[in-house]
Amino acid sequence: MSATLGNRLLKSLGAASALSIVVGAGLSGAQAAELKVMFQGDPYEVTIITDVAKRFEAANPGTTVQLINTPHDAYNEKIGAAVSAGSLPDILQLDAPFLANYVWSGFLQPVGNLLDKALVDDMTASNVAQGTYPIDKALYAIGLTDSTVALYGSRKQLEELKIRIPTSVEDAWTRDEFEAALKTLSTAPGVKWPLDLFRSYGSKTEWITYAYEPILVSMGCDVIDRTSWKATRTLDGKACVDAATEMQNWVKQGWVVPQSAGQNQFYAEGRPAALAWGGHWFYAEANAKMGDDVVVMPLPKFGEKGVSPNGTWIWSVAKTASDPAAAGKFLSFMLQDPAYREAYKAHAGFPGLKSFAAASPLYADKGAMAVAFEQAGKTAVARPPHPAYPTITLAFQNAMTNIFDGADPQAELSKAAKKIDDDILDNDGYQPFGKAE
């Protein structure tokens, strides 16, 4: 990796302090290797990954696996710090939309030939999509899971108000039906806000681009043109401005849970929020509080068809890995480990492997989350697979935050589009994606 490439990523990701916790101990005899694995996750993920590493060490005497557990919100900055220090781990987890940046910057190597073939063949189409680099079409990352966003409601409440409950992607609410439902719910007894968009997640996560970009795409636009790789006249074009204005109007009407109200208003005492625009992970939380009353619906069709997001944290191998074969062996071991799969199954993990989907009744036909899994095959659109994605998402997130707070949609989206195009121009088009004019 050249200093120029490294500096460009550092410019996007920022530098930060030293890497965090180290757990584990060292492959064996003729196959001895020392593997450093950098990851993030909830407490249950830290526990199960630690356990898998110990089992891998036991199955491969002499193996050393160092687990570098890094906070979610600081993850990209920690990668920047590792680049700056010349100390990238052998295996690193990454958020799928940043894959193109990491590959373009020279950090990663293809993993297709490092993993068990049966594991690669087991990947769902959306899992393959989130781990593939668009330039060489090679697979650079893999995950047990993928992700989506669905619309959650109370079956009892919707039925009492005679609001139709969609049961499939084709049956999704139209734009008019969605707004009519919000209007009806706004006057329903006990409802303080018709919709929780999870503004409480803030702008330090990928939530705003991940969860809201599908609305733009459904309405016929996007955060950037995916052929010319220009944002001007796309992100700030009429269709996107109309979409942002419509979302801003939901806030102005008092229909959206404000950021200051915190999380989980959908199933809080008294259920002050009637609907939740939530990730697949939200089902387990809501079901624990509401039981079978929680109903999962597809995202609405704001245009001719509905659009849903995909992409989550996936596993890759650094180009500088000391032993790529051992790294691939560890990933194959982990992703096929029964206890590892059970841990994600218990937390409603969204399937990225066909075998994992088959073992997850939640996502099976007629399962509570079946419609969410249906979206993955019919309406999922990945975030822009471009090296400028760190700039793209930050610009869009800032614009939408300001728009929700009352700023002019046209002005904010124009500023965001200029920031994106300026970054691409500064990097000479991020060739081979195309030379900027």
Side-chain angles (χ1 to χ4, degrees):
M1 177 183 63
S2 70
T4 301
L5 293 180
N7 288 339
R8 284 176 182 172
L9 185 72
L10 287 171
K11 173 184 168 186
S12 296
L13 299 182
S17 56
L19 303 176
S20 63
I21 315 174
V22 175
V23 184
L27 261 170
S28 111
Q31 296 181 337
E34 296 182 359
L35 296 174
K36 292 182 179 179
V37 182
M38 184 172 175
F39 71 105
Q40 58 79 55
D42 292 332
Y44 83 89
E45 295 173 288
V46 176
T47 298
I48 191 59
I49 292 169
T50 300
D51 290 347
V52 169
K54 291 177 180 177
R55 284 194 288 277
F56 182 74
E57 289 178 342
N60 297 272
T63 302
T64 299
V65 181
Q66 284 190 344
L67 297 181
I68 306 166
N69 176 27
T70 304
H72 174 92
D73 288 353
Y75 197 85
N76 283 334
E77 287 79 2
K78 297 294 186 181
I79 291 290
V83 171
S84 182
S87 59
L88 272 178
D90 302 282
I91 297 170
L92 60 155
Q93 200 181 31
L94 59 94
D95 200 0
F98 291 88
L99 178 91
N101 186 297
Y102 283 28
V103 177
W104 181 86
S105 297
F107 293 174
L108 308 180
Q109 61 180 288
V111 297
N113 292 329
L114 302 178
L115 300 164
D116 288 356
K117 184 178 184 301
L119 188 61
V120 175
D121 292 344
D122 196 23
M123 297 172 71
T124 63
S126 62
N127 195 2
V128 172
Q130 71 177 343
T132 299
Y133 185 55
I135 298 301
D136 61 13
K137 311 297 183 188
L139 185 71
Y140 282 83
I142 185 172
L144 173 67
T145 59
D146 199 342
S147 70
T148 197
V149 171
L151 193 63
Y152 299 84
S154 159
R155 184 181 299 278
K156 179 181 177 182
Q157 183 180 55
L158 294 174
E159 288 178 347
E160 285 179 349
L161 294 171
K162 300 189 181 335
I163 296 174
R164 184 178 70 85
I165 299 176
T167 58
S168 69
V169 166
E170 289 78 10
D171 192 38
W173 283 340
T174 64
R175 176 178 178 178
D176 288 344
E177 281 184 294
F178 178 62
E179 293 216 341
L182 294 182
K183 187 172 183 180
T184 297
L185 289 163
S186 69
T187 59
V191 174
K192 189 171 183 180
W193 304 286
L195 178 65
D196 193 348
L197 286 174
F198 291 89
R199 294 191 63 196
S200 58
Y201 286 162
S203 58
K204 289 187 177 181
T205 72
E206 265 290 282
W207 179 253
I208 291 175
T209 306
Y210 171 68
Y212 305 161
E213 184 192 19
I215 298 175
L216 273 60
V217 178
S218 183
M219 290 182 68
C221 63
D222 206 341
V223 293
I224 191 169
D225 184 290
R226 301 192 188 208
T227 301
S228 68
W229 295 114
K230 293 182 182 299
T232 301
R233 291 187 293 280
T234 296
L235 178 55
D236 61 350
K238 184 179 185 305
C240 278
V241 172
D242 287 350
T245 301
E246 183 162 345
M247 295 175 72
Q248 183 187 62
N249 187 55
W250 302 341
V251 176
K252 286 182 176 179
Q253 295 275 2
W255 291 349
V256 175
V257 175
Q259 186 170 347
S260 60
Q263 296 183 21
N264 307 331
Q265 296 302 303
F266 175 70
Y267 59 73
E269 183 69 29
R271 294 201 57 253
L275 301 174
W277 188 280
H280 68 271
W281 57 88
F282 184 68
Y283 173 80
E285 303 171 18
N287 177 255
K289 297 286 186 179
M290 298 170 58
D292 292 341
D293 185 43
V294 62
V295 60
V296 184
M297 300 174 285
L299 294 185
K301 292 184 278 192
F302 292 94
E304 292 185 5
K305 63 174 289 185
V307 176
S308 60
N310 84 311
T312 190
W313 289 85
I314 48 183
W315 297 94
S316 62
V317 176
K319 186 174 283 188
T320 55
S322 58
D323 191 333
K329 186 176 182 180
F330 174 78
L331 289 180
S332 296
F333 181 94
M334 179 176 69
L335 295 171
Q336 295 174 98
D337 181 83
Y340 180 81
R341 293 189 175 204
E342 278 299 314
Y344 281 87
K345 179 180 172 183
H347 286 80
F350 191 87
L353 299 180
K354 298 167 209 172
S355 60
F356 184 51
S360 302
L362 195 60
Y363 295 98
D365 185 36
K366 301 189 185 310
M369 289 286 284
V371 73
F373 192 55
E374 182 189 7
Q375 288 185 150
K378 295 182 178 179
T379 66
V381 174
R383 282 155 282 176
H386 191 278
Y389 186 75
T391 298
I392 293 169
T393 186
L394 184 59
F396 181 64
Q397 287 175 176
N398 288 339
M400 288 307 302
T401 297
N402 293 338
I403 289 167
F404 280 163
D405 288 340
D408 178 67
Q410 179 72 68
E412 290 298 323
L413 294 181
S414 292
K415 284 192 293 186
K418 185 177 187 305
K419 285 180 183 177
I420 294 167
D421 288 346
D422 284 351
D423 176 75
I424 293 174
L425 183 63
D426 287 346
N427 287 284
D428 198 29
Y430 286 98
Q431 295 186 49
F433 282 79
K435 184 177 176 63
E437 297 177 358

PDB file of all heavy atoms in Angstrom, residues 6-28:
ATOM      1  N   GLY A   6      -2.707   5.234   1.741  1.00  0.00           N
ATOM      2  CA  GLY A   6      -2.940   5.218   3.181  1.00  0.00           C
ATOM      3  C   GLY A   6      -3.399   6.561   3.690  1.00  0.00           C
ATOM      4  O   GLY A   6      -4.315   6.663   4.499  1.00  0.00           O
ATOM      5  N   ASN A   7      -2.769   7.624   3.191  1.00  0.00           N
ATOM      6  CA  ASN A   7      -3.139   8.962   3.637  1.00  0.00           C
ATOM      7  C   ASN A   7      -4.565   9.305   3.225  1.00  0.00           C
ATOM      8  O   ASN A   7      -5.284   9.988   3.939  1.00  0.00           O
ATOM      9  CB  ASN A   7      -2.164   9.999   3.064  1.00  0.00           C
ATOM     10  CG  ASN A   7      -0.802   9.921   3.729  1.00  0.00           C
ATOM     11  OD1 ASN A   7      -0.680   9.405   4.837  1.00  0.00           O
ATOM     12  ND2 ASN A   7       0.223  10.412   3.044  1.00  0.00           N
ATOM     13  N   ARG A   8      -4.972   8.848   2.046  1.00  0.00           N
ATOM     14  CA  ARG A   8      -6.334   9.137   1.598  1.00  0.00           C
ATOM     15  C   ARG A   8      -7.354   8.479   2.508  1.00  0.00           C
ATOM     16  O   ARG A   8      -8.383   9.058   2.828  1.00  0.00           O
ATOM     17  CB  ARG A   8      -6.528   8.659   0.149  1.00  0.00           C
ATOM     18  CG  ARG A   8      -5.861   9.590  -0.874  1.00  0.00           C
ATOM     19  CD  ARG A   8      -5.995   9.047  -2.271  1.00  0.00           C
ATOM     20  NE  ARG A   8      -5.309   9.911  -3.233  1.00  0.00           N
ATOM     21  CZ  ARG A   8      -5.124   9.593  -4.511  1.00  0.00           C
ATOM     22  NH1 ARG A   8      -5.550   8.445  -4.965  1.00  0.00           N
ATOM     23  NH2 ARG A   8      -4.509  10.420  -5.328  1.00  0.00           N
ATOM     24  N   LEU A   9      -7.097   7.233   2.913  1.00  0.00           N
ATOM     25  CA  LEU A   9      -8.061   6.593   3.803  1.00  0.00           C
ATOM     26  C   LEU A   9      -8.031   7.264   5.162  1.00  0.00           C
ATOM     27  O   LEU A   9      -9.068   7.483   5.781  1.00  0.00           O
ATOM     28  CB  LEU A   9      -7.790   5.104   3.954  1.00  0.00           C
ATOM     29  CG  LEU A   9      -8.871   4.424   4.777  1.00  0.00           C
ATOM     30  CD1 LEU A   9     -10.166   4.311   3.993  1.00  0.00           C
ATOM     31  CD2 LEU A   9      -8.445   3.084   5.280  1.00  0.00           C
ATOM     32  N   LEU A  10      -6.844   7.607   5.632  1.00  0.00           N
ATOM     33  CA  LEU A  10      -6.747   8.283   6.925  1.00  0.00           C
ATOM     34  C   LEU A  10      -7.503   9.598   6.887  1.00  0.00           C
ATOM     35  O   LEU A  10      -8.117  10.013   7.864  1.00  0.00           O
ATOM     36  CB  LEU A  10      -5.278   8.524   7.291  1.00  0.00           C
ATOM     37  CG  LEU A  10      -4.512   7.272   7.720  1.00  0.00           C
ATOM     38  CD1 LEU A  10      -3.037   7.595   7.847  1.00  0.00           C
ATOM     39  CD2 LEU A  10      -5.055   6.742   9.023  1.00  0.00           C
ATOM     40  N   LYS A  11      -7.472  10.257   5.742  1.00  0.00           N
ATOM     41  CA  LYS A  11      -8.220  11.502   5.599  1.00  0.00           C
ATOM     42  C   LYS A  11      -9.711  11.246   5.785  1.00  0.00           C
ATOM     43  O   LYS A  11     -10.433  12.034   6.388  1.00  0.00           O
ATOM     44  CB  LYS A  11      -7.966  12.082   4.198  1.00  0.00           C
ATOM     45  CG  LYS A  11      -8.824  13.296   3.840  1.00  0.00           C
ATOM     46  CD  LYS A  11      -8.538  13.685   2.411  1.00  0.00           C
ATOM     47  CE  LYS A  11      -9.558  14.680   1.905  1.00  0.00           C
ATOM     48  NZ  LYS A  11      -9.395  14.974   0.486  1.00  0.00           N
ATOM     49  N   SER A  12     -10.190  10.074   5.258  1.00  0.00           N
ATOM     50  CA  SER A  12     -11.602   9.740   5.388  1.00  0.00           C
ATOM     51  C   SER A  12     -11.958   9.232   6.767  1.00  0.00           C
ATOM     52  O   SER A  12     -12.982   9.572   7.330  1.00  0.00           O
ATOM     53  CB  SER A  12     -11.979   8.668   4.359  1.00  0.00           C
ATOM     54  OG  SER A  12     -11.836   9.150   3.056  1.00  0.00           O
ATOM     55  N   LEU A  13     -11.084   8.376   7.317  1.00  0.00           N
ATOM     56  CA  LEU A  13     -11.424   7.701   8.561  1.00  0.00           C
ATOM     57  C   LEU A  13     -10.919   8.412   9.793  1.00  0.00           C
ATOM     58  O   LEU A  13     -11.458   8.262  10.876  1.00  0.00           O
ATOM     59  CB  LEU A  13     -10.848   6.275   8.548  1.00  0.00           C
ATOM     60  CG  LEU A  13     -11.365   5.363   7.436  1.00  0.00           C
ATOM     61  CD1 LEU A  13     -10.728   3.989   7.590  1.00  0.00           C
ATOM     62  CD2 LEU A  13     -12.863   5.251   7.474  1.00  0.00           C
ATOM     63  N   GLY A  14      -9.845   9.158   9.663  1.00  0.00           N
ATOM     64  CA  GLY A  14      -9.274   9.844  10.812  1.00  0.00           C
ATOM     65  C   GLY A  14      -8.337   8.945  11.583  1.00  0.00           C
ATOM     66  O   GLY A  14      -8.390   7.733  11.514  1.00  0.00           O
ATOM     67  N   ALA A  15      -7.417   9.532  12.307  1.00  0.00           N
ATOM     68  CA  ALA A  15      -6.504   8.756  13.140  1.00  0.00           C
ATOM     69  C   ALA A  15      -6.999   8.772  14.563  1.00  0.00           C
ATOM     70  O   ALA A  15      -7.756   9.619  14.965  1.00  0.00           O
ATOM     71  CB  ALA A  15      -5.108   9.363  13.055  1.00  0.00           C
ATOM     72  N   ALA A  16      -6.579   7.797  15.334  1.00  0.00           N
ATOM     73  CA  ALA A  16      -7.044   7.728  16.715  1.00  0.00           C
ATOM     74  C   ALA A  16      -5.999   7.060  17.572  1.00  0.00           C
ATOM     75  O   ALA A  16      -4.902   6.760  17.133  1.00  0.00           O
ATOM     76  CB  ALA A  16      -8.355   6.967  16.780  1.00  0.00           C
ATOM     77  N   SER A  17      -6.366   6.823  18.821  1.00  0.00           N
ATOM     78  CA  SER A  17      -5.430   6.270  19.783  1.00  0.00           C
ATOM     79  C   SER A  17      -5.214   4.789  19.549  1.00  0.00           C
ATOM     80  O   SER A  17      -5.799   4.176  18.682  1.00  0.00           O
ATOM     81  CB  SER A  17      -5.974   6.488  21.189  1.00  0.00           C
ATOM     82  OG  SER A  17      -7.251   5.924  21.289  1.00  0.00           O
ATOM     83  N   ALA A  18      -4.389   4.170  20.366  1.00  0.00           N
ATOM     84  CA  ALA A  18      -3.987   2.781  20.187  1.00  0.00           C
ATOM     85  C   ALA A  18      -5.167   1.825  20.253  1.00  0.00           C
ATOM     86  O   ALA A  18      -6.203   2.133  20.804  1.00  0.00           O
ATOM     87  CB  ALA A  18      -2.971   2.414  21.250  1.00  0.00           C
ATOM     88  N   LEU A  19      -4.966   0.620  19.673  1.00  0.00           N
ATOM     89  CA  LEU A  19      -6.007  -0.390  19.650  1.00  0.00           C
ATOM     90  C   LEU A  19      -6.328  -0.877  21.056  1.00  0.00           C
ATOM     91  O   LEU A  19      -5.530  -0.781  21.964  1.00  0.00           O
ATOM     92  CB  LEU A  19      -5.548  -1.566  18.780  1.00  0.00           C
ATOM     93  CG  LEU A  19      -5.183  -1.175  17.343  1.00  0.00           C
ATOM     94  CD1 LEU A  19      -4.641  -2.386  16.598  1.00  0.00           C
ATOM     95  CD2 LEU A  19      -6.380  -0.622  16.614  1.00  0.00           C
ATOM     96  N   SER A  20      -7.561  -1.468  21.184  1.00  0.00           N
ATOM     97  CA  SER A  20      -8.043  -1.791  22.527  1.00  0.00           C
ATOM     98  C   SER A  20      -7.717  -3.205  22.985  1.00  0.00           C
ATOM     99  O   SER A  20      -6.674  -3.738  22.672  1.00  0.00           O
ATOM    100  CB  SER A  20      -9.541  -1.525  22.587  1.00  0.00           C
ATOM    101  OG  SER A  20     -10.240  -2.340  21.711  1.00  0.00           O
ATOM    102  N   ILE A  21      -8.678  -3.822  23.720  1.00  0.00           N
ATOM    103  CA  ILE A  21      -8.450  -5.042  24.488  1.00  0.00           C
ATOM    104  C   ILE A  21      -7.795  -6.156  23.676  1.00  0.00           C
ATOM    105  O   ILE A  21      -8.146  -6.389  22.549  1.00  0.00           O
ATOM    106  CB  ILE A  21      -9.803  -5.612  24.978  1.00  0.00           C
ATOM    107  CG1 ILE A  21     -10.648  -4.489  25.521  1.00  0.00           C
ATOM    108  CG2 ILE A  21      -9.595  -6.700  25.979  1.00  0.00           C
ATOM    109  CD1 ILE A  21     -12.034  -4.934  25.887  1.00  0.00           C
ATOM    110  N   VAL A  22      -6.914  -6.920  24.270  1.00  0.00           N
ATOM    111  CA  VAL A  22      -6.343  -8.094  23.638  1.00  0.00           C
ATOM    112  C   VAL A  22      -6.703  -9.312  24.468  1.00  0.00           C
ATOM    113  O   VAL A  22      -6.525  -9.319  25.677  1.00  0.00           O
ATOM    114  CB  VAL A  22      -4.809  -7.972  23.518  1.00  0.00           C
ATOM    115  CG1 VAL A  22      -4.218  -9.249  22.961  1.00  0.00           C
ATOM    116  CG2 VAL A  22      -4.435  -6.795  22.651  1.00  0.00           C
ATOM    117  N   VAL A  23      -7.263 -10.328  23.786  1.00  0.00           N
ATOM    118  CA  VAL A  23      -7.654 -11.550  24.479  1.00  0.00           C
ATOM    119  C   VAL A  23      -7.073 -12.729  23.700  1.00  0.00           C
ATOM    120  O   VAL A  23      -6.949 -12.663  22.499  1.00  0.00           O
ATOM    121  CB  VAL A  23      -9.196 -11.700  24.510  1.00  0.00           C
ATOM    122  CG1 VAL A  23      -9.593 -12.913  25.326  1.00  0.00           C
ATOM    123  CG2 VAL A  23      -9.837 -10.455  25.079  1.00  0.00           C
ATOM    124  N   GLY A  24      -6.792 -13.855  24.337  1.00  0.00           N
ATOM    125  CA  GLY A  24      -6.453 -15.057  23.606  1.00  0.00           C
ATOM    126  C   GLY A  24      -5.009 -15.453  23.724  1.00  0.00           C
ATOM    127  O   GLY A  24      -4.216 -14.893  24.439  1.00  0.00           O
ATOM    128  N   ALA A  25      -4.615 -16.452  23.041  1.00  0.00           N
ATOM    129  CA  ALA A  25      -3.243 -16.881  23.107  1.00  0.00           C
ATOM    130  C   ALA A  25      -2.760 -17.392  21.757  1.00  0.00           C
ATOM    131  O   ALA A  25      -3.484 -17.646  20.911  1.00  0.00           O
ATOM    132  CB  ALA A  25      -3.109 -17.982  24.124  1.00  0.00           C
ATOM    133  N   GLY A  26      -1.780 -18.037  20.787  1.00  0.00           N
ATOM    134  CA  GLY A  26      -1.106 -18.539  19.600  1.00  0.00           C
ATOM    135  C   GLY A  26      -1.033 -19.642  18.842  1.00  0.00           C
ATOM    136  O   GLY A  26      -1.387 -20.368  18.715  1.00  0.00           O
ATOM    137  N   LEU A  27      -0.960 -20.742  15.928  1.00  0.00           N
ATOM    138  CA  LEU A  27      -1.175 -22.009  15.199  1.00  0.00           C
ATOM    139  C   LEU A  27       0.015 -22.906  15.478  1.00  0.00           C
ATOM    140  O   LEU A  27       0.904 -22.482  16.133  1.00  0.00           O
ATOM    141  CB  LEU A  27      -1.381 -21.715  13.751  1.00  0.00           C
ATOM    142  CG  LEU A  27      -2.733 -21.654  13.123  1.00  0.00           C
ATOM    143  CD1 LEU A  27      -2.743 -21.132  11.758  1.00  0.00           C
ATOM    144  CD2 LEU A  27      -3.606 -22.662  13.232  1.00  0.00           C
ATOM    145  N   SER A  28       0.237 -23.956  14.834  1.00  0.00           N
ATOM    146  CA  SER A  28       0.989 -24.970  15.537  1.00  0.00           C
ATOM    147  C   SER A  28       1.989 -25.721  14.702  1.00  0.00           C
ATOM    148  O   SER A  28       1.811 -25.873  13.527  1.00  0.00           O
ATOM    149  CB  SER A  28      -0.007 -25.947  16.142  1.00  0.00           C
ATOM    150  OG  SER A  28       0.048 -27.185  15.518  1.00  0.00           O
TER     151      SER A  28
END
